[in-house]
mmCIF file of all heavy atoms in Angstrom:
data_model
loop_
_atom_site.group_PDB
_atom_site.id
_atom_site.type_symbol
_atom_site.label_atom_id
_atom_site.label_comp_id
_atom_site.label_asym_id
_atom_site.label_seq_id
_atom_site.Cartn_x
_atom_site.Cartn_y
_atom_site.Cartn_z
ATOM 1 N N TRP L 123 -12.015 -36.873 9.032
ATOM 2 C CA TRP L 123 -10.980 -36.149 9.689
ATOM 3 C C TRP L 123 -11.137 -34.630 9.630
ATOM 4 O O TRP L 123 -10.913 -33.970 10.684
ATOM 5 C CB TRP L 123 -9.699 -36.522 8.951
ATOM 6 C CG TRP L 123 -8.468 -35.744 9.404
ATOM 7 C CD1 TRP L 123 -7.664 -34.928 8.673
ATOM 8 C CD2 TRP L 123 -7.954 -35.714 10.811
ATOM 9 N NE1 TRP L 123 -6.655 -34.450 9.388
ATOM 10 C CE2 TRP L 123 -6.817 -34.832 10.764
ATOM 11 C CE3 TRP L 123 -8.250 -36.291 12.037
ATOM 12 C CZ2 TRP L 123 -6.035 -34.583 11.823
ATOM 13 C CZ3 TRP L 123 -7.440 -35.951 13.100
ATOM 14 C CH2 TRP L 123 -6.359 -35.141 13.016
ATOM 15 N N LYS L 124 -11.529 -33.989 8.452
ATOM 16 C CA LYS L 124 -11.691 -32.534 8.441
ATOM 17 C C LYS L 124 -12.664 -32.095 9.465
ATOM 18 O O LYS L 124 -12.534 -30.970 10.088
ATOM 19 C CB LYS L 124 -12.191 -32.196 7.039
ATOM 20 C CG LYS L 124 -11.017 -31.746 6.131
ATOM 21 C CD LYS L 124 -11.593 -31.501 4.751
ATOM 22 C CE LYS L 124 -11.191 -30.223 4.160
ATOM 23 N NZ LYS L 124 -11.546 -30.086 2.676
ATOM 24 N N LEU L 127 -11.121 -32.184 12.860
ATOM 25 C CA LEU L 127 -10.199 -31.085 12.996
ATOM 26 C C LEU L 127 -10.827 -29.738 13.152
ATOM 27 O O LEU L 127 -10.435 -28.967 14.039
ATOM 28 C CB LEU L 127 -9.324 -31.166 11.666
ATOM 29 C CG LEU L 127 -7.998 -30.559 11.692
ATOM 30 C CD1 LEU L 127 -7.085 -31.214 12.749
ATOM 31 C CD2 LEU L 127 -7.333 -30.814 10.286
ATOM 32 N N PHE L 137 -4.243 -36.637 18.660
ATOM 33 C CA PHE L 137 -3.987 -37.659 17.640
ATOM 34 C C PHE L 137 -2.818 -37.266 16.800
ATOM 35 O O PHE L 137 -1.934 -38.119 16.549
ATOM 36 C CB PHE L 137 -5.283 -37.779 16.808
ATOM 37 C CG PHE L 137 -5.179 -38.707 15.651
ATOM 38 C CD1 PHE L 137 -4.893 -40.146 15.842
ATOM 39 C CD2 PHE L 137 -5.191 -38.305 14.275
ATOM 40 C CE1 PHE L 137 -4.797 -41.041 14.816
ATOM 41 C CE2 PHE L 137 -5.115 -39.176 13.208
ATOM 42 C CZ PHE L 137 -4.878 -40.586 13.507
ATOM 43 N N LEU L 138 -2.668 -36.018 16.398
ATOM 44 C CA LEU L 138 -1.566 -35.542 15.531
ATOM 45 C C LEU L 138 -0.219 -35.712 16.340
ATOM 46 O O LEU L 138 0.817 -36.147 15.755
ATOM 47 C CB LEU L 138 -1.770 -34.115 15.128
ATOM 48 C CG LEU L 138 -2.778 -33.898 14.048
ATOM 49 C CD1 LEU L 138 -3.203 -32.365 13.929
ATOM 50 C CD2 LEU L 138 -2.347 -34.434 12.669
ATOM 51 N N LEU L 141 0.647 -39.390 16.423
ATOM 52 C CA LEU L 141 1.218 -39.804 15.098
ATOM 53 C C LEU L 141 2.722 -39.361 14.973
ATOM 54 O O LEU L 141 3.546 -40.135 14.479
ATOM 55 C CB LEU L 141 0.417 -39.220 13.917
ATOM 56 C CG LEU L 141 -0.947 -39.781 13.705
ATOM 57 C CD1 LEU L 141 -1.541 -39.213 12.478
ATOM 58 C CD2 LEU L 141 -0.942 -41.313 13.607
ATOM 59 N N ASP L 142 3.017 -38.123 15.421
ATOM 60 C CA ASP L 142 4.412 -37.624 15.379
ATOM 61 C C ASP L 142 5.283 -38.533 16.287
ATOM 62 O O ASP L 142 6.356 -38.971 15.837
ATOM 63 C CB ASP L 142 4.378 -36.194 15.967
ATOM 64 C CG ASP L 142 5.703 -35.630 16.116
ATOM 65 O OD1 ASP L 142 6.491 -35.560 15.118
ATOM 66 O OD2 ASP L 142 6.123 -35.318 17.239
ATOM 67 N N LEU L 144 4.639 -41.694 17.087
ATOM 68 C CA LEU L 144 4.722 -43.016 16.451
ATOM 69 C C LEU L 144 5.822 -42.997 15.344
ATOM 70 O O LEU L 144 6.529 -44.010 15.250
ATOM 71 C CB LEU L 144 3.409 -43.404 15.812
ATOM 72 C CG LEU L 144 2.410 -44.155 16.749
ATOM 73 C CD1 LEU L 144 1.056 -44.342 16.012
ATOM 74 C CD2 LEU L 144 2.978 -45.519 17.082
ATOM 75 N N ALA L 145 5.799 -41.918 14.540
ATOM 76 C CA ALA L 145 6.711 -41.879 13.413
ATOM 77 C C ALA L 145 8.104 -41.793 13.930
ATOM 78 O O ALA L 145 9.040 -42.468 13.391
ATOM 79 C CB ALA L 145 6.403 -40.680 12.533
ATOM 80 N N LEU L 152 13.577 -42.827 6.774
ATOM 81 C CA LEU L 152 13.325 -42.377 5.396
ATOM 82 C C LEU L 152 14.439 -41.443 4.954
ATOM 83 O O LEU L 152 14.745 -41.316 3.776
ATOM 84 C CB LEU L 152 11.941 -41.737 5.295
ATOM 85 C CG LEU L 152 10.778 -42.686 5.464
ATOM 86 C CD1 LEU L 152 9.438 -41.872 5.408
ATOM 87 C CD2 LEU L 152 10.785 -43.851 4.504
ATOM 88 N N ASP L 165 6.100 -33.272 1.099
ATOM 89 C CA ASP L 165 5.690 -34.180 2.072
ATOM 90 C C ASP L 165 4.153 -34.039 2.076
ATOM 91 O O ASP L 165 3.613 -33.117 2.695
ATOM 92 C CB ASP L 165 6.272 -33.834 3.501
ATOM 93 C CG ASP L 165 6.006 -34.732 4.617
ATOM 94 O OD1 ASP L 165 5.214 -35.829 4.394
ATOM 95 O OD2 ASP L 165 6.363 -34.513 5.740
ATOM 96 N N VAL L 166 3.455 -35.010 1.487
ATOM 97 C CA VAL L 166 1.959 -34.870 1.262
ATOM 98 C C VAL L 166 1.306 -35.319 2.540
ATOM 99 O O VAL L 166 1.417 -36.369 3.004
ATOM 100 C CB VAL L 166 1.525 -35.844 0.074
ATOM 101 C CG1 VAL L 166 0.036 -35.670 -0.154
ATOM 102 C CG2 VAL L 166 2.317 -35.598 -1.174
ATOM 103 N N GLY L 167 0.430 -34.426 3.058
ATOM 104 C CA GLY L 167 -0.224 -34.680 4.354
ATOM 105 C C GLY L 167 0.811 -34.999 5.407
ATOM 106 O O GLY L 167 0.719 -35.998 6.118
ATOM 107 N N GLY L 168 1.744 -34.078 5.513
ATOM 108 C CA GLY L 168 2.894 -34.340 6.392
ATOM 109 C C GLY L 168 2.642 -34.181 7.896
ATOM 110 O O GLY L 168 3.517 -34.369 8.674
ATOM 111 N N GLY L 169 1.411 -33.867 8.320
ATOM 112 C CA GLY L 169 1.037 -33.738 9.717
ATOM 113 C C GLY L 169 1.939 -32.786 10.371
ATOM 114 O O GLY L 169 2.189 -31.621 9.866
ATOM 115 N N LEU L 170 2.429 -33.066 11.526
ATOM 116 C CA LEU L 170 3.208 -32.109 12.313
ATOM 117 C C LEU L 170 4.620 -32.037 11.808
ATOM 118 O O LEU L 170 5.463 -31.325 12.350
ATOM 119 C CB LEU L 170 3.191 -32.465 13.762
ATOM 120 C CG LEU L 170 1.868 -32.417 14.475
ATOM 121 C CD1 LEU L 170 2.078 -32.639 16.057
ATOM 122 C CD2 LEU L 170 1.264 -31.066 14.275
ATOM 123 N N GLY L 171 4.980 -32.840 10.740
ATOM 124 C CA GLY L 171 6.257 -32.661 10.110
ATOM 125 C C GLY L 171 7.380 -33.515 10.579
ATOM 126 O O GLY L 171 8.552 -33.171 10.402
ATOM 127 N N THR L 172 7.026 -34.724 11.146
ATOM 128 C CA THR L 172 8.124 -35.543 11.621
ATOM 129 C C THR L 172 9.082 -35.900 10.477
ATOM 130 O O THR L 172 10.320 -35.817 10.699
ATOM 131 C CB THR L 172 7.473 -36.881 12.079
ATOM 132 O OG1 THR L 172 6.226 -36.626 12.663
ATOM 133 C CG2 THR L 172 8.377 -37.656 13.046
ATOM 134 N N TYR L 173 8.498 -36.308 9.328
ATOM 135 C CA TYR L 173 9.496 -36.665 8.239
ATOM 136 C C TYR L 173 10.031 -35.465 7.536
ATOM 137 O O TYR L 173 11.222 -35.413 7.143
ATOM 138 C CB TYR L 173 8.770 -37.570 7.295
ATOM 139 C CG TYR L 173 8.530 -38.948 7.926
ATOM 140 C CD1 TYR L 173 7.208 -39.396 8.058
ATOM 141 C CD2 TYR L 173 9.597 -39.804 8.329
ATOM 142 C CE1 TYR L 173 6.953 -40.684 8.650
ATOM 143 C CE2 TYR L 173 9.324 -41.014 8.925
ATOM 144 C CZ TYR L 173 8.018 -41.457 9.074
ATOM 145 O OH TYR L 173 7.790 -42.661 9.670
ATOM 146 N N VAL L 187 2.749 -30.112 2.885
ATOM 147 C CA VAL L 187 1.450 -29.717 2.595
ATOM 148 C C VAL L 187 0.505 -30.444 3.535
ATOM 149 O O VAL L 187 0.496 -31.679 3.743
ATOM 150 C CB VAL L 187 1.093 -30.083 1.171
ATOM 151 C CG1 VAL L 187 -0.307 -29.718 0.853
ATOM 152 C CG2 VAL L 187 1.986 -29.404 0.152
ATOM 153 N N ASP L 188 -0.460 -29.670 4.140
ATOM 154 C CA ASP L 188 -1.452 -30.330 5.030
ATOM 155 C C ASP L 188 -2.612 -29.261 5.097
ATOM 156 O O ASP L 188 -2.543 -28.140 4.551
ATOM 157 C CB ASP L 188 -0.924 -30.617 6.429
ATOM 158 C CG ASP L 188 -1.670 -31.905 7.025
ATOM 159 O OD1 ASP L 188 -2.879 -31.759 7.190
ATOM 160 O OD2 ASP L 188 -1.018 -32.962 7.195
ATOM 161 N N LEU L 189 -3.655 -29.683 5.803
ATOM 162 C CA LEU L 189 -4.830 -28.778 5.983
ATOM 163 C C LEU L 189 -4.470 -27.593 6.802
ATOM 164 O O LEU L 189 -3.530 -27.727 7.720
ATOM 165 C CB LEU L 189 -5.999 -29.534 6.598
ATOM 166 C CG LEU L 189 -6.522 -30.726 5.676
ATOM 167 C CD1 LEU L 189 -7.336 -31.681 6.436
ATOM 168 C CD2 LEU L 189 -7.311 -30.139 4.513
ATOM 169 N N PRO L 190 -5.086 -26.459 6.696
ATOM 170 C CA PRO L 190 -4.734 -25.203 7.358
ATOM 171 C C PRO L 190 -4.554 -25.385 8.840
ATOM 172 O O PRO L 190 -3.560 -24.829 9.426
ATOM 173 C CB PRO L 190 -5.822 -24.198 7.032
ATOM 174 C CG PRO L 190 -6.400 -24.727 5.760
ATOM 175 C CD PRO L 190 -6.202 -26.266 5.711
ATOM 176 N N VAL L 192 -3.773 -27.939 10.644
ATOM 177 C CA VAL L 192 -2.614 -28.729 10.912
ATOM 178 C C VAL L 192 -1.295 -27.929 10.646
ATOM 179 O O VAL L 192 -0.330 -28.023 11.363
ATOM 180 C CB VAL L 192 -2.620 -30.089 10.086
ATOM 181 C CG1 VAL L 192 -1.414 -30.907 10.396
ATOM 182 C CG2 VAL L 192 -3.865 -30.841 10.353
ATOM 183 N N VAL L 211 2.687 -25.262 3.246
ATOM 184 C CA VAL L 211 1.627 -25.014 2.356
ATOM 185 C C VAL L 211 0.333 -25.513 2.939
ATOM 186 O O VAL L 211 0.161 -26.733 3.143
ATOM 187 C CB VAL L 211 1.895 -25.652 0.945
ATOM 188 C CG1 VAL L 211 0.747 -25.391 0.010
ATOM 189 C CG2 VAL L 211 3.194 -25.071 0.361
ATOM 190 N N ALA L 213 -3.207 -26.499 2.221
ATOM 191 C CA ALA L 213 -4.083 -26.806 1.058
ATOM 192 C C ALA L 213 -4.775 -28.081 1.282
ATOM 193 O O ALA L 213 -4.344 -28.998 1.992
ATOM 194 C CB ALA L 213 -3.123 -26.930 -0.156
ATOM 195 N N ASP L 214 -5.938 -28.306 0.572
ATOM 196 C CA ASP L 214 -6.620 -29.554 0.528
ATOM 197 C C ASP L 214 -6.146 -30.227 -0.707
ATOM 198 O O ASP L 214 -6.320 -29.810 -1.814
ATOM 199 C CB ASP L 214 -8.080 -29.252 0.402
ATOM 200 C CG ASP L 214 -8.883 -30.561 0.384
ATOM 201 O OD1 ASP L 214 -8.403 -31.555 -0.034
ATOM 202 O OD2 ASP L 214 -10.085 -30.524 0.862
ATOM 203 N N ILE L 215 -5.367 -31.342 -0.526
ATOM 204 C CA ILE L 215 -4.724 -31.973 -1.703
ATOM 205 C C ILE L 215 -5.692 -32.441 -2.708
ATOM 206 O O ILE L 215 -5.335 -32.735 -3.808
ATOM 207 C CB ILE L 215 -3.844 -33.169 -1.140
ATOM 208 C CG1 ILE L 215 -4.561 -34.107 -0.215
ATOM 209 C CG2 ILE L 215 -2.524 -32.644 -0.557
ATOM 210 C CD1 ILE L 215 -3.808 -35.258 0.232
ATOM 211 N N PHE L 216 -7.023 -32.634 -2.294
ATOM 212 C CA PHE L 216 -7.997 -33.174 -3.215
ATOM 213 C C PHE L 216 -8.619 -32.058 -4.045
ATOM 214 O O PHE L 216 -9.232 -32.297 -5.063
ATOM 215 C CB PHE L 216 -9.003 -34.028 -2.506
ATOM 216 C CG PHE L 216 -8.454 -35.298 -1.986
ATOM 217 C CD1 PHE L 216 -8.262 -35.368 -0.646
ATOM 218 C CD2 PHE L 216 -8.056 -36.317 -2.862
ATOM 219 C CE1 PHE L 216 -7.682 -36.578 -0.150
ATOM 220 C CE2 PHE L 216 -7.505 -37.528 -2.310
ATOM 221 C CZ PHE L 216 -7.266 -37.635 -0.973
ATOM 222 N N SER L 217 -8.464 -30.789 -3.624
ATOM 223 C CA SER L 217 -9.084 -29.719 -4.387
ATOM 224 C C SER L 217 -8.044 -28.964 -5.234
ATOM 225 O O SER L 217 -8.418 -27.994 -5.953
ATOM 226 C CB SER L 217 -10.013 -28.819 -3.603
ATOM 227 O OG SER L 217 -9.722 -28.919 -2.253
ATOM 228 N N LEU L 232 6.839 -37.564 -0.806
ATOM 229 C CA LEU L 232 6.710 -38.641 0.214
ATOM 230 C C LEU L 232 5.160 -38.718 0.483
ATOM 231 O O LEU L 232 4.524 -37.627 0.802
ATOM 232 C CB LEU L 232 7.475 -38.230 1.455
ATOM 233 C CG LEU L 232 7.129 -39.075 2.707
ATOM 234 C CD1 LEU L 232 7.551 -40.538 2.493
ATOM 235 C CD2 LEU L 232 7.908 -38.480 3.988
ATOM 236 N N VAL L 233 4.616 -39.843 0.417
ATOM 237 C CA VAL L 233 3.187 -40.076 0.745
ATOM 238 C C VAL L 233 3.195 -41.078 1.916
ATOM 239 O O VAL L 233 3.167 -42.296 1.727
ATOM 240 C CB VAL L 233 2.435 -40.673 -0.509
ATOM 241 C CG1 VAL L 233 0.957 -40.874 -0.200
ATOM 242 C CG2 VAL L 233 2.582 -39.697 -1.694
ATOM 243 N N SER L 234 3.291 -40.497 3.088
ATOM 244 C CA SER L 234 3.448 -41.423 4.292
ATOM 245 C C SER L 234 2.095 -41.511 5.057
ATOM 246 O O SER L 234 1.533 -40.558 5.564
ATOM 247 C CB SER L 234 4.527 -40.787 5.167
ATOM 248 O OG SER L 234 4.580 -41.519 6.350
ATOM 249 N N HIS L 235 1.739 -42.706 5.233
ATOM 250 C CA HIS L 235 0.475 -43.037 6.068
ATOM 251 C C HIS L 235 -0.661 -42.283 5.501
ATOM 252 O O HIS L 235 -1.427 -41.754 6.342
ATOM 253 C CB HIS L 235 0.811 -42.947 7.534
ATOM 254 C CG HIS L 235 1.691 -44.097 8.045
ATOM 255 N ND1 HIS L 235 1.258 -45.394 8.060
ATOM 256 C CD2 HIS L 235 2.993 -44.091 8.314
ATOM 257 C CE1 HIS L 235 2.239 -46.148 8.451
ATOM 258 N NE2 HIS L 235 3.348 -45.387 8.613
ATOM 259 N N MET L 236 -0.819 -42.141 4.227
ATOM 260 C CA MET L 236 -1.888 -41.477 3.633
ATOM 261 C C MET L 236 -2.845 -42.422 2.931
ATOM 262 O O MET L 236 -4.037 -42.361 3.073
ATOM 263 C CB MET L 236 -1.422 -40.400 2.626
ATOM 264 C CG MET L 236 -0.596 -39.283 3.139
ATOM 265 S SD MET L 236 -1.607 -38.258 4.275
ATOM 266 C CE MET L 236 -2.719 -37.452 3.128
ATOM 267 N N HIS L 238 -3.698 -45.504 3.280
ATOM 268 C CA HIS L 238 -4.624 -46.313 4.100
ATOM 269 C C HIS L 238 -5.782 -45.611 4.606
ATOM 270 O O HIS L 238 -6.764 -46.185 5.145
ATOM 271 C CB HIS L 238 -3.855 -46.992 5.244
ATOM 272 C CG HIS L 238 -3.205 -46.084 6.195
ATOM 273 N ND1 HIS L 238 -1.894 -46.250 6.611
ATOM 274 C CD2 HIS L 238 -3.695 -45.078 6.894
ATOM 275 C CE1 HIS L 238 -1.612 -45.322 7.422
ATOM 276 N NE2 HIS L 238 -2.682 -44.552 7.656
ATOM 277 N N ASP L 239 -5.768 -44.216 4.499
ATOM 278 C CA ASP L 239 -6.932 -43.459 4.991
ATOM 279 C C ASP L 239 -8.071 -43.450 3.929
ATOM 280 O O ASP L 239 -9.143 -42.882 4.256
ATOM 281 C CB ASP L 239 -6.527 -42.018 5.297
ATOM 282 C CG ASP L 239 -5.911 -41.825 6.689
ATOM 283 O OD1 ASP L 239 -5.875 -42.830 7.387
ATOM 284 O OD2 ASP L 239 -5.389 -40.741 7.000
ATOM 285 N N TYR L 240 -7.843 -43.996 2.740
ATOM 286 C CA TYR L 240 -8.811 -43.894 1.698
ATOM 287 C C TYR L 240 -9.030 -45.199 0.970
ATOM 288 O O TYR L 240 -8.122 -46.001 0.882
ATOM 289 C CB TYR L 240 -8.244 -42.803 0.631
ATOM 290 C CG TYR L 240 -7.913 -41.547 1.308
ATOM 291 C CD1 TYR L 240 -6.597 -41.121 1.509
ATOM 292 C CD2 TYR L 240 -8.933 -40.592 1.686
ATOM 293 C CE1 TYR L 240 -6.272 -39.997 2.104
ATOM 294 C CE2 TYR L 240 -8.612 -39.404 2.340
ATOM 295 C CZ TYR L 240 -7.207 -39.079 2.532
ATOM 296 O OH TYR L 240 -6.939 -37.899 3.104
ATOM 297 N N ASN L 265 5.108 -44.732 2.154
ATOM 298 C CA ASN L 265 5.264 -45.277 3.428
ATOM 299 C C ASN L 265 3.945 -45.723 3.968
ATOM 300 O O ASN L 265 3.103 -44.882 4.260
ATOM 301 C CB ASN L 265 6.044 -44.382 4.375
ATOM 302 C CG ASN L 265 6.248 -45.022 5.802
ATOM 303 O OD1 ASN L 265 6.393 -46.206 5.860
ATOM 304 N ND2 ASN L 265 6.207 -44.147 6.814
ATOM 305 N N THR L 288 -11.441 -44.494 9.611
ATOM 306 C CA THR L 288 -11.374 -43.586 8.485
ATOM 307 C C THR L 288 -12.255 -43.930 7.321
ATOM 308 O O THR L 288 -12.490 -43.057 6.417
ATOM 309 C CB THR L 288 -9.976 -43.338 7.926
ATOM 310 O OG1 THR L 288 -9.559 -44.590 7.326
ATOM 311 C CG2 THR L 288 -8.988 -43.051 9.033
HETATM 312 C C1 SAM H 401 -2.497 -40.398 9.020
HETATM 313 S S1 SAM H 401 -1.891 -38.777 8.918
HETATM 314 C C2 SAM H 401 -0.203 -38.980 8.278
HETATM 315 C C3 SAM H 401 0.737 -37.971 8.804
HETATM 316 C C4 SAM H 401 2.216 -38.193 8.335
HETATM 317 N N1 SAM H 401 2.259 -38.165 6.919
HETATM 318 C C5 SAM H 401 2.808 -39.450 8.866
HETATM 319 O O1 SAM H 401 3.307 -40.317 8.161
HETATM 320 O O2 SAM H 401 2.770 -39.586 10.132
HETATM 321 C C6 SAM H 401 -2.781 -38.047 7.681
HETATM 322 C C7 SAM H 401 -2.428 -36.601 7.412
HETATM 323 O O3 SAM H 401 -3.057 -36.195 6.214
HETATM 324 C C8 SAM H 401 -3.653 -34.948 6.390
HETATM 325 N N2 SAM H 401 -4.763 -34.737 5.545
HETATM 326 C C9 SAM H 401 -5.997 -35.374 5.543
HETATM 327 N N3 SAM H 401 -6.817 -34.991 4.562
HETATM 328 C C10 SAM H 401 -6.133 -33.967 3.856
HETATM 329 C C11 SAM H 401 -6.359 -33.146 2.710
HETATM 330 N N4 SAM H 401 -7.552 -33.302 2.104
HETATM 331 N N5 SAM H 401 -5.420 -32.266 2.327
HETATM 332 C C12 SAM H 401 -4.268 -32.145 3.017
HETATM 333 N N6 SAM H 401 -3.928 -32.966 3.990
HETATM 334 C C13 SAM H 401 -4.814 -33.896 4.480
HETATM 335 C C14 SAM H 401 -4.084 -34.950 7.834
HETATM 336 O O4 SAM H 401 -4.320 -33.621 8.458
HETATM 337 C C15 SAM H 401 -2.951 -35.690 8.487
HETATM 338 O O5 SAM H 401 -1.944 -34.804 8.934
#
Side-chain angles (χ1 to χ4, degrees):
W123 171 241
K124 259 171 132 174
L127 201 57
F137 175 65
L138 287 165
L141 289 185
D142 173 60
L144 270 174
L152 295 177
D165 186 1
V166 182
L170 295 187
T172 325
Y173 291 118
V187 177
D188 210 299
L189 295 165
V192 180
V211 177
D214 181 333
I215 49 177
F216 293 106
S217 18
L232 171 63
V233 178
S234 174
H235 289 289
M236 293 298 288
H238 60 232
D239 278 355
Y240 307 103
N265 174 34
T288 68

